[in-house]
Amino acid sequence: MIIKKLAVIGAGSMGHQIAMLGALAGYETKLQDISQKSLEQAEAKLAAIMDKWVRKEKISVEEREEAFSRLHFTTDMLEAAGEADLIIEAVVEKLHVKREVFSMLDEVAPSHSILATNSSTIVSSLLADATKRPEKVCNMHFFFPALVMDCVEVVKGDHTSEATVSNVIKVCEEMNRTAVLLKKEISGFIANRILFAVQKEAMSLYEGGFADYEDIDKIVRKALNHPIGPFELMDLSGIDVGYYVMQQQFEESGDPKDKPSKTLEEKMKAGELGRKTGKGFYTYEQGVKS
């Protein structure tokens, strides 16, 4: 199958950047969200990023304009997915929401369309049976921020056809992203399982009173040479994202060790979700730590 048209469902922190990757790669791309305000914010953010790229000579003015000419914004799922060859879901990390979206997409998308989820932890076998095309369902996990991070985890479930995986990997290559194939499913995939292990241990040390979160971040940066500490990373990616991921893992495993920590529960209740709200573990002014 030759993929020419993309749809991205969800204009949040991941979705709008994935959509721009598609447009930059030459695909006719439609970004859908139920909120017109979210679409307007997404367009403004992308304009700012592309303007910065032009100033840094990463792309030309012509390339910027061509990408935006291929990128369309809509609140209508039928308009977004009705002619798409590949649809990438990037909605909130809640299983029941994703299942509803996949069921709706299955109704409105062409029979040949591939349905991929950008979920950071939920395996596509939990979504495939919400459709009549399980062989065309897979994980296509981009990393935050998608316009910067190179890797994409492509996860093949037992239900996923080889043709589906092959087509998704080709799209990643056209987007100038390194696709890494996981041959079977595991919750959290590879990168996040390693990352969550680090974050859980960092949180345990912090809650145990062994060191402040600032000092734990400092040790990880200075001693382990990580570019960013675990608490800084939670703020960057969104504390709510990590919370929902852990909650989903806990629901799947029933293991208390997978349950979100007391500190994350408190941050969620206080609305302190990281950079996007101006406060998480750290305080931010216009996205910059103060």
Side-chain angles (χ1 to χ4, degrees):
M1 183 175 71
I2 298 175
I3 293 177
K4 295 181 179 179
K5 296 181 179 181
L6 305 184
V8 179
I9 309 302
S13 57
M14 290 298 296
H16 73 283
Q17 294 204 11
I18 295 170
M20 180 53 79
L21 283 175
L24 287 167
Y27 295 104
E28 286 295 324
T29 305
K30 293 183 178 178
L31 176 61
Q32 187 272 345
D33 198 284
I34 59 175
S35 166
Q36 181 63 38
K37 182 179 179 181
S38 294
L39 291 171
E40 292 169 359
Q41 291 174 338
E43 187 170 9
K45 289 176 183 176
L46 290 173
I49 294 170
M50 292 302 103
D51 287 345
K52 186 175 181 180
W53 282 21
V54 169
R55 290 195 299 272
K56 291 188 173 183
E57 299 184 346
K58 294 179 67 174
I59 59 173
S60 67
V61 173
E62 291 75 17
E63 288 170 326
R64 178 200 184 282
E65 296 306 313
E66 288 173 3
F68 272 106
S69 73
R70 289 187 288 265
L71 181 57
H72 311 280
F73 302 82
T74 180
T75 57
D76 189 328
M77 187 172 287
L78 176 59
E79 181 184 346
E83 297 180 351
D85 303 308
L86 169 62
I87 303 167
I88 304 169
E89 167 272 313
V91 303
V92 66
E93 199 75 355
K94 294 183 178 181
L95 179 59
H96 73 279
V97 176
K98 291 182 184 291
R99 285 183 61 84
E100 289 174 8
V101 169
F102 267 71
S103 179
M104 288 187 286
L105 288 172
D106 191 51
E107 294 295 323
V108 301
S111 60
H112 71 271
S113 301
I114 294 170
L115 307 182
T117 174
N118 180 57
S119 174
S120 57
T121 54
I122 298 171
V123 292
S124 68
S125 59
L126 296 176
L127 305 171
D129 67 344
T131 78
K132 300 180 182 69
R133 61 183 89 193
E135 74 284 355
K136 297 183 183 297
V137 176
C138 71
N139 287 91
M140 190 179 185
H141 176 221
F142 293 79
F143 290 85
F144 180 82
L147 283 166
V148 176
M149 301 297 285
D150 176 37
C151 188
V152 181
E153 291 176 320
V154 178
V155 188
K156 182 183 183 301
D158 290 340
H159 56 281
T160 311
S161 72
E162 293 289 348
T164 294
V165 167
S166 177
N167 279 304
V168 167
I169 288 174
K170 286 179 184 177
V171 171
C172 293
E173 292 170 350
E174 290 294 322
M175 290 178 171
N176 197 30
R177 290 296 176 267
T178 300
V180 181
L181 176 63
L182 277 65
K183 299 177 182 179
K184 59 182 182 178
E185 295 183 330
I186 184 169
S187 177
F189 319 136
I190 302 298
N192 277 341
R193 290 184 71 87
I194 295 170
L195 176 62
F196 291 158
V198 172
Q199 289 182 345
K200 284 181 181 179
E201 184 61 25
M203 188 66 75
S204 176
L205 291 166
Y206 167 61
E207 291 185 338
F210 295 99
D212 290 335
Y213 60 85
E214 299 100 326
D215 290 329
I216 295 172
D217 278 347
K218 187 182 297 183
I219 290 167
V220 170
R221 291 196 311 271
K222 299 291 186 180
L224 303 181
N225 204 29
H226 289 202
I228 189 171
F231 295 94
E232 292 170 313
L233 184 55
M234 282 186 263
D235 274 4
L236 176 63
S237 58
I239 287 170
D240 55 331
V241 175
Y243 175 87
Y244 290 137
V245 164
M246 292 178 186
Q247 189 64 36
Q248 177 62 35
Q249 287 188 316
F250 173 63
E251 289 175 6
E252 289 181 30
S253 70
D255 188 341
K257 292 180 181 178
D258 290 332
K259 192 173 183 180
S261 70
K262 179 182 178 182
T263 300
L264 288 186
E265 292 271 6
E266 291 172 350
K267 292 289 184 187
M268 286 290 293
K269 289 178 181 177
E272 298 175 355
L273 307 182
R275 292 195 184 196
K276 60 187 173 185
T277 61
K279 182 174 175 57
F281 288 95
Y282 298 88
T283 300
Y284 304 86
E285 290 185 10
Q286 297 182 337
V288 179
K289 190 165 67 175
S290 59

